Amino acid sequence: MAGRKDEIILRGLKENNLKNINLNIPKEKINVFTGLSGSGKSSVVFDTLATESRRQMTMNYPLYVRNQMPRYERPHADLMQNLSPVVVVEQRPIGGNSRSTVGTYMDIHPLIRLLFSRIGTPLIESATDFSSQSSFGKCPECNGFGEVVAPDINKLVDFDKSLQDYAVKFKPLSPSGWQGRWMMTGGLFDPDKPIKDYSEEKRQLLLYGPPKGERVFAPFHTKNGPQDHEWDGLFPRFVRLYINRDVSKLKQVSQDDVLSVSTHTLCPTCLGSGLNPKVLACKINGLNIAEYDQLELTELLEELTKITDPLGTSIALQAIPHLKQLVEMGLGYLSLSRKMGTLSGGEAQRVKIARHLGSSLNNITYIFDEPSAGLHPEEVDMLIRMLKSIREHHNTVIVIEHDLSVIKAADEIIEMGPGAGASGGEVVYQGKLDGLKNANAVTTLNHKLKINKQPREINKYFTIKRASQNNLKNISVNIPGNVLVSICGVSGSGKSSLMMEAFTENYPETIMVGQGRIGISSRSTLATYMGIMDDFRAILSKETGQQAGLFSFNSTGACPYCEGKGVTKPDVAFADPVTVTCEACNGLRYSDEALSYRYRGKNIAEILELTIDEAMEYFNSPKILNRVNTLKDVGLGYLTLGQTTSSLSGGEVQRLKLASHLHKKGQVYLLDEPSLGLHREDNGKLLEVFQRLVNQGNSVIIIEHNLDFIAASDWVIELGPGGGKKGGHIIFEGEPEKMLNAKTLTAGWLRDGVGEFFT
């Protein structure tokens, strides 16, 4: 058996758009899946291979344990053999609440707390006491948040208005919420009188409640009749319900809603650490735990190596490998206290990767979903070294990727296609790098950058003066308007701080398209996301004289058997879950009555089966045509109006999100890495959209690492030279052609790109 090849064997794959394909994926190799967005890469890698591996892993546990674990349906495939346990690093944003930091996410902070509880002086013996979430450890002033948040009277209340006219500007306490209605009907306050005309006594009662030692009650009308509730004042109520609790766990109110009517300043007691002064007094080599948290990771490594206490050394040695992993991923400029929600896309991606690399297990299949996303070309080399290291430890690496540098590092290349959606789902090429040059594949290896040698004339500027957010070094910059501008630089150099914070503070009218995921569910479709589903229903309602709700599968028009889902999931007890197409509606989701009505020869289900391209010919409503045209503009013409957003690939989601903003009439578009998840062929389509927007008189500014976009821009601004403390400077401003002569990291890669890529 010495000549036997160890391969993952997949036969008859039919998930989503896959066309009954067969694949052999070699083990202990780097396998790169490439192809257009929507060509079927994720359907093979995630929906088939990863899902089946996880399903088979859960089968090793007793039934009573499996009932507590996620349950996976068997993928649509004839045969799946020789699978290994999988570790999946997806593109999805890192979850967690507002307190989640690099230290907590990487499980380093618990070790640091343990370290201080064992060798810190003066001694505090419990490790949990070093947490801002413990009753002893949290700062008594700010309740452990590090900031003092207080309601702002002028933001919360409009004194020229009455309660009836929404004098209270915070929605849950306004007439639209039950508390606002209670204020108006409880008899304590005149709902029609402007607040400024209240007597001093009434105004104090409304804002701050009754005098100390007194209690006031007002009836609140319920279905069981009026019931007395104690009135404690608008400010005390706001503090109690929306400040002294984790707002991120509330469904109706976001943290932004609370902060919009509040002031928030650094806590003077704990100086932002959220910790009790007694905890901050405990130190190791002159530093307390808050100061440890603020150190850059490279500095923290040095501090940990200084520890000589035997017990402390044993604890430090457990934290050091995790820190080294982050440093080797180019994240040495971060600190343990850095909030996960403030990381750029590239930083978050590398933190996720680093978290999964601490294991010494081998014979594992590591799956990465476009790991180069958000990385500067300089940082992609670091990524490739990491992928090779995983392979050398006898693991299988499977990567979905569009970056040519990563593709060239592969042992095996598998291109899906030839097109996207219904035109994809086939294996176009499988083999070594050399064979791809002669294959009929979309991915080409001799791509040259096209430098914009005729940039547009600049007649206006957006000015930012003395920006000092995060690591910005008090910089001033003029950003050209009515042209295409690229903001580039290595991760952590200050791009997001300059544009997403400083720029938008100065120009709040900016239309921002960020990296965040769209809300997706099995009931969310392209039509609902683009805001035209109501228009479809209105057209059918007008044509047929029926209620609009009849044409919604979330309302009266839903199939009564599957409740508008199109599928049923029969109870199979402890067996693997099974999804069956609804026999009553054949997966159309609508009732027979809803399907009996037509507009221009089609019922609602047939309308939703139209592709974007077909919809352009079918409808004549200006609003619908405008919205549908934006989807066509971003290269999504092959998708159907009724396609669920949960079934879209990462690249398709990115373009859908962009399309939802393009119909807005705006002057300034700011996009954070619009090339995320896109194949090079799709990039050209997106660039055409940006150029068209600029030609229409708009300003388009993109934060981008992709060299095609940078080369095509009218103006480039690079921040750096490094990340963290080493960043925050403007190191280049000018036209792309002039950048070829600059001595910056991006300029070096741009020069390489103008020549042959393939060596």
Side-chain angles (χ1 to χ4, degrees), residues 112-269:
I112 300 298
R113 292 200 297 266
L114 181 64
L115 182 68
F116 270 83
S117 71
R118 296 299 181 265
I119 66 169
T121 53
L123 189 63
I124 297 175
E125 293 185 355
S126 173
T128 58
D129 286 343
F130 288 88
S131 167
S132 60
Q133 298 183 55
S134 75
S135 56
F136 175 82
K138 67 182 177 183
C139 171
E141 178 73 18
C142 65
N143 210 32
F145 279 96
E147 288 185 329
V148 177
V149 180
D152 186 318
I153 188 169
N154 295 313
K155 293 179 180 177
L156 188 62
V157 179
D158 186 339
F159 288 87
D160 292 325
K161 291 183 177 180
S162 66
L163 291 175
Q164 183 76 45
D165 293 330
Y166 285 72
V168 181
K169 293 186 277 187
F170 185 63
K171 191 174 180 181
L173 299 177
S174 72
S176 63
W178 70 266
Q179 297 178 86
R181 292 194 295 273
W182 175 40
M183 280 187 260
M184 292 192 299
T185 60
L188 290 177
F189 311 109
D190 187 338
D192 300 311
K193 182 188 288 189
I195 307 301
K196 66 179 181 181
D197 295 337
Y198 278 21
S199 66
E200 180 64 23
E201 183 182 353
K202 277 290 180 187
R203 192 159 53 247
Q204 288 291 318
L205 180 63
L206 172 69
L207 299 178
Y208 304 106
K212 192 172 182 180
E214 296 182 19
R215 300 177 74 187
V216 172
F217 293 85
F220 176 68
H221 297 277
T222 69
K223 62 182 180 181
N224 298 320
Q227 296 181 3
D228 275 351
H229 282 262
E230 185 174 2
W231 174 249
D232 50 354
L234 200 59
F235 276 30
R237 178 168 286 264
F238 181 86
V239 170
R240 177 169 56 84
L241 295 178
Y242 303 105
I243 291 181
N244 291 347
R245 66 193 300 183
D246 189 351
V247 181
S248 64
K249 294 181 179 175
L250 299 180
K251 290 183 179 178
Q252 305 299 326
V253 185
S254 72
Q255 197 155 21
D256 288 340
D257 294 331
V258 174
L259 294 178
S260 68
V261 292
S262 308
T263 57
H264 44 108
T265 55
L266 195 69
C267 176
T269 303

Side-chain angles (χ1 to χ4, degrees), residues 45-63:
V45 175
F46 290 108
D47 300 336
T48 303
L49 194 155
T51 299
E52 178 63 7
S53 175
R54 287 166 164 169
R55 187 186 75 84
Q56 291 191 24
M57 282 295 294
T58 60
M59 299 293 287
N60 292 306
Y61 294 93
L63 272 177

Side-chain angles (χ1 to χ4, degrees), residues 288-459:
N288 63 34
I289 193 168
E291 290 165 332
Y292 254 53
D293 286 350
Q294 295 295 332
L295 292 173
E296 288 195 356
L297 299 182
T298 49
E299 298 169 335
L300 180 57
L301 269 173
E302 290 179 22
E303 283 298 321
L304 290 176
T305 56
K306 291 179 187 176
I307 293 172
T308 56
D309 182 282
L311 178 56
T313 301
S314 66
I315 298 170
L317 286 174
Q318 295 178 56
I320 285 172
H322 298 292
L323 292 168
K324 282 185 174 176
Q325 203 73 62
L326 289 165
V327 171
E328 287 169 8
M329 292 297 294
L331 297 171
Y333 59 85
L334 294 180
S335 66
L336 294 184
S337 62
R338 179 73 179 267
K339 297 281 179 71
M340 291 301 297
T342 67
L343 296 179
S344 69
E347 289 168 335
Q349 185 79 337
R350 283 180 289 164
V351 170
K352 282 192 288 184
I353 292 170
R355 186 185 187 190
H356 290 289
L357 299 183
S359 171
S360 61
L361 297 174
N362 62 15
N363 294 316
I364 303 289
T365 297
Y366 283 85
I367 296 177
F368 297 94
D369 188 5
E370 204 171 349
S372 73
L375 300 190
H376 188 275
E378 189 78 13
E379 297 157 340
V380 174
D381 282 350
M382 208 182 307
L383 170 69
I384 292 169
R385 288 197 299 271
M386 179 272 296
L387 295 176
K388 289 180 177 178
S389 170
I390 295 174
R391 179 192 61 190
E392 300 313 315
H393 285 86
H394 303 287
N395 295 300
T396 303
V397 179
I398 297 178
V399 186
I400 293 178
E401 190 55 86
H402 301 296
D403 188 280
L404 281 180
S405 300
V406 179
I407 293 171
K408 289 174 187 174
D411 301 306
E412 187 90 352
I413 298 169
I414 301 165
E415 173 149 334
M416 301 297 295
S423 302
E426 299 176 37
V427 178
V428 175
Y429 172 78
Q430 179 173 5
K432 306 297 180 191
L433 180 66
D434 291 342
L436 187 62
K437 289 185 288 183
N438 303 316
N440 186 25
V442 177
T443 304
T444 56
L445 299 169
N446 58 352
H447 176 77
K448 290 183 182 178
L449 293 177
K450 295 177 182 176
I451 297 290
N452 181 3
K453 295 184 177 180
Q454 294 181 311
R456 295 176 176 88
E457 186 179 341
I458 298 170
N459 296 312

Side-chain angles (χ1 to χ4, degrees), residues 672-735:
D672 190 5
E673 284 197 72
S675 72
L676 195 71
L678 300 188
H679 190 276
R680 192 178 297 278
E681 287 289 308
D682 299 316
N683 287 340
K685 297 172 186 173
L686 203 51
L687 264 172
E688 288 175 13
V689 175
F690 294 158
Q691 301 290 13
R692 195 180 310 124
L693 278 173
V694 175
N695 291 337
Q696 292 168 354
N698 298 296
S699 300
V700 179
I701 307 168
I702 57 176
I703 301 171
E704 190 55 84
H705 295 297
N706 189 291
L707 295 171
D708 285 307
F709 285 80
I710 294 169
S713 299
D714 299 302
W715 193 261
V716 181
I717 297 171
E718 183 171 359
L719 282 92
K725 291 178 182 177
K726 296 176 182 176
H729 298 280
I730 302 286
I731 58 175
F732 176 80
E733 298 176 79
E735 297 163 350

